[in-house]
Coordinates of all heavy atoms in Angstrom, one line a residue:
M260 N 295.9 16.3 -80.7 CA 295.6 17.6 -80.1 C 296.8 18.3 -79.6 O 297.6 17.7 -78.9 CB 294.5 17.4 -79.0 CG 294.1 18.7 -78.3 SD 292.7 18.4 -77.2 CE 291.4 18.1 -78.3
A261 N 297.0 19.6 -79.9 CA 298.2 20.3 -79.4 C 298.1 20.5 -77.9 O 297.0 20.7 -77.3 CB 298.2 21.7 -80.1
V262 N 299.3 20.5 -77.3 CA 299.3 20.6 -75.8 C 298.9 22.0 -75.4 O 298.5 22.2 -74.2 CB 300.8 20.2 -75.3 CG1 300.9 20.4 -73.8 CG2 301.1 18.8 -75.7
D263 N 299.0 23.0 -76.2 CA 298.6 24.3 -75.8 C 297.2 24.7 -76.1 O 296.8 25.9 -76.1 CB 299.6 25.3 -76.4 CG 299.6 25.4 -77.9 OD1 299.0 24.5 -78.5 OD2 300.3 26.3 -78.4
T264 N 296.3 23.8 -76.5 CA 294.9 24.1 -76.7 C 294.3 24.4 -75.3 O 294.7 23.9 -74.3 CB 294.2 22.9 -77.4 OG1 294.2 21.8 -76.5 CG2 294.8 22.6 -78.7
P265 N 293.2 25.1 -75.3 CA 292.5 25.4 -74.1 C 292.1 24.1 -73.3 O 292.2 24.1 -72.1 CB 291.3 26.2 -74.5 CG 291.7 26.9 -75.7 CD 292.6 25.9 -76.4
S266 N 291.7 23.1 -74.0 CA 291.3 21.8 -73.3 C 292.5 21.2 -72.6 O 292.4 20.8 -71.5 CB 290.7 20.8 -74.3 OG 289.5 21.3 -74.8
C267 N 293.7 21.2 -73.3 CA 294.8 20.6 -72.7 C 295.3 21.4 -71.5 O 295.7 20.9 -70.5 CB 295.9 20.4 -73.7 SG 295.7 19.0 -74.8
L268 N 295.3 22.8 -71.7 CA 295.7 23.6 -70.6 C 294.8 23.5 -69.4 O 295.3 23.4 -68.3 CB 295.8 25.1 -71.1 CG 296.8 25.4 -72.1 CD1 296.6 26.9 -72.6 CD2 298.2 25.1 -71.7
A269 N 293.5 23.4 -69.7 CA 292.6 23.2 -68.6 C 292.8 21.8 -67.9 O 292.8 21.7 -66.7 CB 291.1 23.2 -69.1
A270 N 293.0 20.8 -68.7 CA 293.3 19.5 -68.1 C 294.6 19.5 -67.2 O 294.6 19.0 -66.1 CB 293.5 18.4 -69.2
E271 N 295.6 20.2 -67.7 CA 296.8 20.3 -66.9 C 296.6 21.1 -65.6 O 297.1 20.6 -64.6 CB 297.9 21.0 -67.8 CG 299.2 21.0 -67.1 CD 300.4 21.3 -68.0 OE1 300.3 21.1 -69.2 OE2 301.4 21.6 -67.5
L272 N 295.8 22.1 -65.7 CA 295.6 22.9 -64.5 C 294.8 22.1 -63.4 O 295.1 22.2 -62.3 CB 294.8 24.2 -64.8 CG 295.6 25.3 -65.5 CD1 294.7 26.4 -66.0 CD2 296.7 25.8 -64.6
V273 N 293.7 21.4 -63.9 CA 292.9 20.7 -62.9 C 293.6 19.4 -62.4 O 293.2 18.9 -61.3 CB 291.5 20.4 -63.4 CG1 290.7 21.6 -63.7 CG2 291.5 19.4 -64.5
T274 N 294.6 18.9 -63.1 CA 295.2 17.7 -62.6 C 296.5 17.9 -61.9 O 297.1 17.0 -61.4 CB 295.4 16.7 -63.8 OG1 296.2 17.3 -64.8 CG2 294.1 16.2 -64.4
T275 N 297.0 19.1 -61.9 CA 298.3 19.4 -61.2 C 297.9 20.3 -60.0 O 297.6 21.5 -60.1 CB 299.3 20.1 -62.1 OG1 298.7 21.2 -62.7 CG2 299.8 19.2 -63.1
G276 N 298.0 19.7 -58.8 CA 297.8 20.5 -57.6 C 296.3 20.5 -57.1 O 296.1 20.2 -56.0
A277 N 295.4 20.8 -58.0 CA 294.0 20.8 -57.6 C 293.4 19.4 -57.6 O 293.7 18.7 -58.5 CB 293.2 21.8 -58.4
R278 N 292.5 19.1 -56.7 CA 291.8 17.9 -56.9 C 290.3 18.1 -57.3 O 289.6 17.2 -57.4 CB 291.8 17.1 -55.5 CG 293.2 16.7 -55.1 CD 294.1 16.0 -56.1 NE 293.4 14.9 -56.8 CZ 293.8 14.4 -58.0 NH1 294.7 15.0 -58.7 NH2 293.2 13.4 -58.6
H279 N 290.0 19.4 -57.5 CA 288.7 19.7 -58.1 C 288.9 20.9 -59.1 O 289.8 21.6 -59.0 CB 287.8 20.3 -56.9 CG 287.4 19.2 -56.0 ND1 288.1 18.8 -54.9 CD2 286.3 18.4 -56.0 CE1 287.5 17.8 -54.3 NE2 286.4 17.6 -54.9
G280 N 288.0 20.9 -60.0 CA 288.0 22.0 -61.0 C 286.7 22.7 -61.1 O 285.7 22.1 -61.1
S281 N 286.8 24.0 -61.1 CA 285.6 24.8 -61.2 C 285.8 25.9 -62.3 O 286.9 26.2 -62.6 CB 285.3 25.5 -59.9 OG 286.2 26.5 -59.6
P282 N 284.7 26.4 -62.8 CA 284.8 27.4 -63.9 C 285.6 28.6 -63.4 O 286.4 29.2 -64.1 CB 283.4 27.8 -64.2 CG 282.6 26.6 -63.9 CD 283.3 26.0 -62.7
S283 N 285.3 29.1 -62.1 CA 286.0 30.2 -61.6 C 287.5 30.0 -61.5 O 288.3 30.8 -61.8 CB 285.4 30.7 -60.3 OG 285.5 29.7 -59.3
M284 N 287.9 28.8 -61.0 CA 289.3 28.4 -60.9 C 290.0 28.4 -62.3 O 291.1 28.9 -62.5 CB 289.5 27.0 -60.2 CG 290.9 26.6 -60.0 SD 291.8 25.8 -61.4 CE 290.9 24.2 -61.4
L285 N 289.3 27.8 -63.3 CA 289.9 27.8 -64.6 C 290.0 29.2 -65.2 O 291.1 29.5 -65.8 CB 289.0 27.0 -65.5 CG 289.2 25.5 -65.5 CD1 288.3 24.8 -66.6 CD2 290.7 25.1 -65.8
T286 N 289.0 30.0 -65.1 CA 289.2 31.4 -65.7 C 290.3 32.1 -65.0 O 291.2 32.7 -65.7 CB 287.9 32.2 -65.5 OG1 287.5 32.3 -64.1 CG2 286.7 31.6 -66.3
R287 N 290.5 32.0 -63.7 CA 291.5 32.7 -63.0 C 292.9 32.1 -63.4 O 293.8 32.8 -63.7 CB 291.3 32.6 -61.5 CG 292.3 33.3 -60.6 CD 292.0 33.2 -59.1 NE 292.0 31.8 -58.6 CZ 290.9 31.1 -58.3 NH1 289.7 31.6 -58.5 NH2 291.1 29.9 -57.9
R288 N 293.0 30.8 -63.3 CA 294.4 30.2 -63.6 C 294.8 30.3 -65.1 O 296.0 30.4 -65.3 CB 294.3 28.7 -63.2 CG 294.2 28.4 -61.7 CD 295.4 28.6 -60.9 NE 296.6 27.9 -61.4 CZ 296.9 26.7 -61.1 NH1 296.2 25.9 -60.3 NH2 298.0 26.2 -61.6
L289 N 293.8 30.2 -66.0 CA 294.2 30.3 -67.4 C 294.7 31.8 -67.6 O 295.6 32.0 -68.4 CB 293.0 30.0 -68.3 CG 292.7 28.5 -68.5 CD1 291.4 28.3 -69.2 CD2 293.8 27.8 -69.2
R290 N 294.1 32.7 -67.0 CA 294.5 34.1 -67.1 C 295.9 34.3 -66.5 O 296.8 34.9 -67.1 CB 293.5 35.1 -66.5 CG 293.9 36.6 -66.7 CD 292.8 37.5 -66.1 NE 292.6 37.2 -64.7 CZ 291.4 36.7 -64.2 NH1 290.4 36.4 -65.0 NH2 291.3 36.5 -62.9
Q291 N 296.0 33.8 -65.2 CA 297.3 34.0 -64.5 C 298.5 33.3 -65.1 O 299.6 33.8 -65.2 CB 297.1 33.6 -63.0 CG 296.3 34.5 -62.2 CD 296.1 33.9 -60.8 OE1 296.4 32.8 -60.5 NE2 295.5 34.7 -59.9
D292 N 298.2 32.0 -65.4 CA 299.3 31.1 -65.8 C 299.7 31.2 -67.3 O 300.8 31.0 -67.7 CB 299.0 29.7 -65.5 CG 299.0 29.4 -64.0 OD1 299.2 30.4 -63.2 OD2 298.7 28.3 -63.6
Y293 N 298.6 31.5 -68.2 CA 298.9 31.4 -69.6 C 298.4 32.7 -70.3 O 298.6 32.8 -71.5 CB 298.1 30.3 -70.2 CG 298.5 28.9 -69.6 CD1 297.8 28.3 -68.7 CD2 299.8 28.4 -70.1 CE1 298.2 27.1 -68.2 CE2 300.2 27.2 -69.5 CZ 299.4 26.5 -68.6 OH 299.9 25.3 -68.1
G294 N 297.9 33.7 -69.6 CA 297.5 34.9 -70.3 C 296.3 34.8 -71.2 O 296.0 35.6 -72.0
L295 N 295.5 33.7 -70.9 CA 294.3 33.5 -71.8 C 293.1 34.0 -71.1 O 292.9 33.7 -69.9 CB 294.1 32.0 -72.0 CG 295.1 31.3 -72.9 CD1 294.8 29.8 -72.9 CD2 295.1 31.8 -74.3
E296 N 292.3 34.8 -71.8 CA 291.0 35.3 -71.2 C 289.9 34.4 -71.7 O 289.7 34.2 -72.9 CB 290.8 36.7 -71.7 CG 291.8 37.7 -71.1 CD 291.6 38.0 -69.7 OE1 290.5 37.8 -69.1 OE2 292.7 38.3 -69.0
V297 N 289.3 33.7 -70.7 CA 288.1 32.8 -71.1 C 287.0 33.3 -70.2 O 287.2 33.7 -69.0 CB 288.4 31.3 -70.9 CG1 289.4 30.8 -71.9 CG2 288.8 31.0 -69.5
T298 N 285.8 33.2 -70.7 CA 284.6 33.6 -69.9 C 284.2 32.5 -69.0 O 284.7 31.3 -69.2 CB 283.4 34.0 -70.8 OG1 283.0 32.8 -71.5 CG2 283.8 35.1 -71.8
F299 N 283.4 32.8 -68.1 CA 282.9 31.7 -67.2 C 282.2 30.6 -68.0 O 282.3 29.4 -67.7 CB 281.9 32.4 -66.2 CG 281.5 31.5 -65.0 CD1 282.3 31.3 -63.9 CD2 280.3 30.8 -65.1 CE1 281.9 30.5 -62.9 CE2 279.9 29.9 -64.0 CZ 280.7 29.8 -62.9
E300 N 281.4 31.0 -69.0 CA 280.7 30.0 -69.8 C 281.6 29.2 -70.6 O 281.4 28.0 -70.7 CB 279.7 30.7 -70.7 CG 278.5 31.3 -70.0 CD 277.7 30.3 -69.2 OE1 277.4 29.2 -69.7 OE2 277.3 30.6 -68.1
E301 N 282.7 29.8 -71.1 CA 283.7 29.0 -71.8 C 284.4 28.0 -70.9 O 284.7 26.9 -71.3 CB 284.8 29.9 -72.5 CG 284.2 30.7 -73.6 CD 285.1 31.8 -74.1 OE1 285.9 32.4 -73.3 OE2 285.1 32.1 -75.3
A302 N 284.7 28.4 -69.7 CA 285.3 27.5 -68.7 C 284.4 26.4 -68.3 O 284.8 25.2 -68.2 CB 285.7 28.3 -67.4
K303 N 283.1 26.7 -68.2 CA 282.1 25.6 -68.0 C 282.1 24.6 -69.2 O 282.1 23.4 -68.9 CB 280.7 26.2 -67.8 CG 280.4 26.8 -66.5 CD 279.1 27.5 -66.3 CE 277.9 26.6 -66.7 NZ 276.7 27.4 -66.4
D304 N 282.2 25.1 -70.4 CA 282.3 24.2 -71.6 C 283.6 23.4 -71.5 O 283.5 22.2 -71.9 CB 282.2 25.0 -72.9 CG 280.8 25.6 -73.1 OD1 279.8 25.1 -72.6 OD2 280.8 26.6 -73.9
L305 N 284.7 24.0 -71.1 CA 285.9 23.2 -71.0 C 285.8 22.1 -70.0 O 286.2 20.9 -70.3 CB 287.1 24.1 -70.6 CG 287.6 25.0 -71.7 CD1 288.6 26.0 -71.1 CD2 288.3 24.2 -72.8
L306 N 285.2 22.4 -68.9 CA 285.0 21.3 -67.9 C 284.0 20.2 -68.4 O 284.2 19.0 -68.1 CB 284.4 21.9 -66.6 CG 285.5 22.7 -65.8 CD1 284.9 23.5 -64.7 CD2 286.5 21.7 -65.2
R307 N 283.0 20.6 -69.2 CA 282.1 19.6 -69.8 C 282.9 18.7 -70.7 O 282.7 17.5 -70.8 CB 281.0 20.3 -70.5 CG 279.9 20.8 -69.6 CD 278.7 21.3 -70.4 NE 278.0 22.3 -69.6 CZ 277.9 23.6 -69.9 NH1 278.5 24.0 -70.9 NH2 277.3 24.4 -69.1
Q308 N 283.8 19.3 -71.5 CA 284.7 18.5 -72.4 C 285.5 17.5 -71.6 O 285.7 16.4 -72.0 CB 285.5 19.4 -73.2 CG 284.8 20.2 -74.3 CD 285.7 21.2 -74.9 OE1 286.9 21.1 -74.9 NE2 285.1 22.3 -75.5
L309 N 286.1 18.0 -70.5 CA 287.0 17.2 -69.7 C 286.1 16.1 -69.0 O 286.6 14.9 -68.9 CB 287.7 18.0 -68.6 CG 288.6 19.1 -69.1 CD1 289.3 19.8 -67.9 CD2 289.7 18.5 -70.0
E310 N 284.9 16.4 -68.7 CA 284.0 15.3 -68.1 C 283.7 14.3 -69.1 O 283.6 13.1 -68.8 CB 282.8 16.0 -67.5 CG 281.8 15.0 -66.9 CD 280.6 15.7 -66.3 OE1 280.5 16.9 -66.2 OE2 279.7 14.9 -65.9
A311 N 283.5 14.7 -70.4 CA 283.1 13.8 -71.4 C 284.2 12.7 -71.7 O 283.8 11.6 -72.1 CB 282.7 14.6 -72.7
V312 N 285.4 13.1 -71.5 CA 286.5 12.2 -71.8 C 287.0 11.5 -70.5 O 288.0 10.8 -70.5 CB 287.7 12.8 -72.6 CG1 287.2 13.2 -73.9 CG2 288.3 14.0 -71.8
G313 N 286.4 11.8 -69.3 CA 286.7 11.1 -68.1 C 287.8 11.7 -67.3 O 288.3 11.0 -66.4
I314 N 288.1 12.9 -67.5 CA 289.2 13.6 -66.7 C 288.7 14.1 -65.4 O 289.3 14.0 -64.4 CB 289.9 14.7 -67.5 CG1 290.6 14.1 -68.8 CG2 290.9 15.5 -66.7 CD1 291.1 15.0 -69.8
V315 N 287.5 14.7 -65.4 CA 286.8 15.1 -64.2 C 285.4 14.4 -64.2 O 284.9 14.0 -65.2 CB 286.6 16.6 -64.1 CG1 288.0 17.3 -64.1 CG2 285.8 17.2 -65.2
G316 N 284.9 14.3 -63.0 CA 283.6 13.7 -62.8 C 282.5 14.8 -62.8 O 282.8 16.0 -63.0
P317 N 281.3 14.4 -62.6 CA 280.2 15.4 -62.6 C 280.4 16.3 -61.4 O 281.0 16.0 -60.4 CB 278.9 14.5 -62.4 CG 279.3 13.1 -62.6 CD 280.8 13.0 -62.4
V318 N 279.8 17.5 -61.5 CA 280.0 18.5 -60.5 C 279.4 18.1 -59.2 O 278.4 17.4 -59.1 CB 279.3 19.9 -60.9 CG1 277.8 19.8 -61.0 CG2 279.7 21.0 -60.1
D319 N 280.2 18.3 -58.1 CA 279.8 18.0 -56.8 C 279.0 19.2 -56.2 O 279.6 20.3 -56.0 CB 281.1 17.7 -55.9 CG 280.8 17.4 -54.5 OD1 279.6 17.7 -54.0 OD2 281.7 17.0 -53.8
P320 N 277.7 19.1 -56.0 CA 276.9 20.2 -55.6 C 277.4 20.9 -54.3 O 277.2 22.0 -54.1 CB 275.5 19.7 -55.6 CG 275.6 18.2 -55.6 CD 276.9 17.9 -56.1
R321 N 278.0 20.1 -53.4 CA 278.5 20.6 -52.1 C 279.6 21.5 -52.3 O 279.8 22.5 -51.6 CB 278.8 19.5 -51.2 CG 277.6 18.7 -50.7 CD 278.0 17.5 -49.9 NE 278.9 16.6 -50.8 CZ 279.9 15.9 -50.4 NH1 280.3 15.9 -49.1 NH2 280.6 15.1 -51.2
K322 N 280.5 21.2 -53.3 CA 281.7 22.0 -53.5 C 281.6 22.9 -54.7 O 282.5 23.7 -55.0 CB 282.9 21.1 -53.7 CG 283.2 20.3 -52.4 CD 284.4 19.4 -52.6 CE 284.7 18.7 -51.3 NZ 285.8 17.9 -51.3
H323 N 280.6 22.8 -55.5 CA 280.4 23.5 -56.8 C 281.6 23.3 -57.7 O 282.1 24.3 -58.3 CB 280.1 25.0 -56.5 CG 279.0 25.2 -55.6 ND1 277.7 25.1 -56.1 CD2 278.9 25.6 -54.3 CE1 276.8 25.3 -55.1 NE2 277.6 25.6 -54.0
A324 N 282.2 22.1 -57.7 CA 283.3 21.8 -58.5 C 283.3 20.4 -59.0 O 282.6 19.6 -58.4 CB 284.6 22.1 -57.7
H325 N 284.1 20.1 -60.0 CA 284.2 18.8 -60.6 C 285.4 18.1 -59.9 O 286.5 18.6 -59.9 CB 284.5 18.8 -62.1 CG 283.3 19.4 -62.9 ND1 282.4 18.7 -63.5 CD2 283.0 20.7 -63.1 CE1 281.6 19.4 -64.1 NE2 281.9 20.7 -63.9
P326 N 285.2 16.9 -59.4 CA 286.4 16.1 -58.8 C 287.3 15.6 -60.0 O 286.8 15.2 -61.0 CB 285.7 15.0 -58.1 CG 284.4 14.8 -58.8 CD 284.0 16.1 -59.2
V327 N 288.6 15.7 -59.7 CA 289.5 15.2 -60.7 C 289.6 13.7 -60.6 O 289.8 13.2 -59.5 CB 290.9 15.9 -60.5 CG1 291.9 15.3 -61.5 CG2 290.8 17.4 -60.7
L328 N 289.6 13.0 -61.7 CA 289.5 11.5 -61.7 C 290.9 10.9 -62.1 O 291.1 9.7 -61.8 CB 288.4 11.0 -62.6 CG 287.0 11.5 -62.3 CD1 286.0 11.0 -63.3 CD2 286.6 11.1 -60.9
V329 N 291.7 11.6 -62.8 CA 293.0 11.0 -63.3 C 294.1 12.0 -63.1 O 293.9 13.1 -62.7 CB 292.8 10.7 -64.8 CG1 291.7 9.7 -65.1 CG2 292.6 12.0 -65.6
D330 N 295.3 11.5 -63.3 CA 296.5 12.3 -63.1 C 296.8 13.0 -64.5 O 296.1 12.8 -65.5 CB 297.7 11.5 -62.7 CG 298.2 10.5 -63.7 OD1 297.8 10.5 -64.8 OD2 299.0 9.6 -63.2
R331 N 297.8 13.9 -64.5 CA 298.1 14.7 -65.6 C 298.4 13.9 -66.9 O 297.8 14.2 -68.0 CB 299.3 15.6 -65.3 CG 299.7 16.5 -66.5 CD 301.0 17.2 -66.1 NE 301.5 18.0 -67.2 CZ 302.2 17.6 -68.3 NH1 302.5 16.3 -68.4 NH2 302.5 18.4 -69.2
D332 N 299.2 12.9 -66.8 CA 299.6 12.1 -68.0 C 298.4 11.4 -68.5 O 298.2 11.4 -69.8 CB 300.7 11.1 -67.6 CG 302.0 11.8 -67.2 OD1 302.2 12.9 -67.7 OD2 302.8 11.2 -66.5
A333 N 297.5 10.8 -67.7 CA 296.3 10.2 -68.2 C 295.4 11.2 -68.8 O 294.7 10.9 -69.8 CB 295.6 9.4 -67.0
A334 N 295.3 12.4 -68.3 CA 294.4 13.4 -68.8 C 294.9 13.8 -70.2 O 294.0 13.9 -71.1 CB 294.4 14.6 -67.9
L335 N 296.2 14.1 -70.4 CA 296.6 14.4 -71.7 C 296.5 13.3 -72.7 O 296.2 13.5 -73.9 CB 298.1 14.9 -71.6 CG 298.3 16.2 -70.8 CD1 299.7 16.6 -70.7 CD2 297.5 17.4 -71.3
A336 N 296.7 12.1 -72.2 CA 296.5 10.9 -73.1 C 295.0 10.8 -73.5 O 294.7 10.5 -74.7 CB 297.0 9.6 -72.4
A337 N 294.1 11.0 -72.6 CA 292.7 11.0 -72.9 C 292.3 12.0 -73.9 O 291.5 11.8 -74.9 CB 291.9 11.1 -71.6
L338 N 292.9 13.2 -73.8 CA 292.6 14.3 -74.8 C 293.2 13.9 -76.1 O 292.6 14.2 -77.2 CB 293.1 15.6 -74.3 CG 292.3 16.2 -73.2 CD1 292.9 17.4 -72.6 CD2 290.8 16.5 -73.6
G339 N 294.4 13.3 -76.1 CA 295.0 12.9 -77.4 C 294.2 11.9 -78.1 O 294.0 11.9 -79.3
A340 N 293.6 11.0 -77.3 CA 292.8 9.9 -77.9 C 291.5 10.4 -78.4 O 290.9 9.9 -79.2 CB 292.6 8.8 -76.8
A341 N 291.1 11.5 -77.8 CA 289.8 12.1 -78.1 C 289.8 12.9 -79.4 O 288.8 13.3 -80.0 CB 289.2 13.0 -77.0
S342 N 291.0 13.3 -79.8 CA 291.1 14.2 -81.0 C 291.1 13.4 -82.3 O 291.2 12.2 -82.4 CB 292.4 15.0 -81.0 OG 293.6 14.1 -81.0

């Protein structure tokens, strides 16, 4: 999987600095950092993909965000293994 795919960019964003990932954070950061316009629903799908490979956990209803489970290198390796 290319490092500049939306999944890899999302994985990098949620594993660097943030300890939680939410659709609103992803839409904002993908636009600010990479100039990518993604909808809220697309961001939710990206987080579901990251959850499926073990990068983030299920959404925490108290924070309305997914906790980050791994560091950046492990996240990118998980996505590479998933492709």
Side-chain angles (χ1 to χ4, degrees):
M260 179 173 288
V262 176
D263 61 350
T264 64
S266 294
C267 284
L268 295 176
E271 186 162 341
L272 288 172
V273 299
T274 58
T275 53
R278 295 312 309 154
H279 290 85
S281 68
S283 59
M284 183 274 291
L285 274 184
T286 57
R287 183 178 62 255
R288 294 281 310 273
L289 286 170
R290 183 179 57 249
Q291 288 175 350
D292 295 359
Y293 299 103
L295 292 175
E296 294 291 333
V297 296
T298 66
F299 190 83
E300 291 301 317
E301 290 169 328
K303 282 174 53 176
D304 289 340
L305 286 170
L306 285 167
R307 283 189 206 109
Q308 291 172 21
L309 298 182
E310 184 178 349
V312 294
I314 296 171
V315 298
V318 69
D319 178 347
R321 293 173 296 145
K322 296 182 180 183
H323 304 286
H325 296 261
V327 175
L328 304 176
V329 299
D330 64 16
R331 178 187 179 277
D332 293 335
L335 295 178
L338 288 174
S342 64

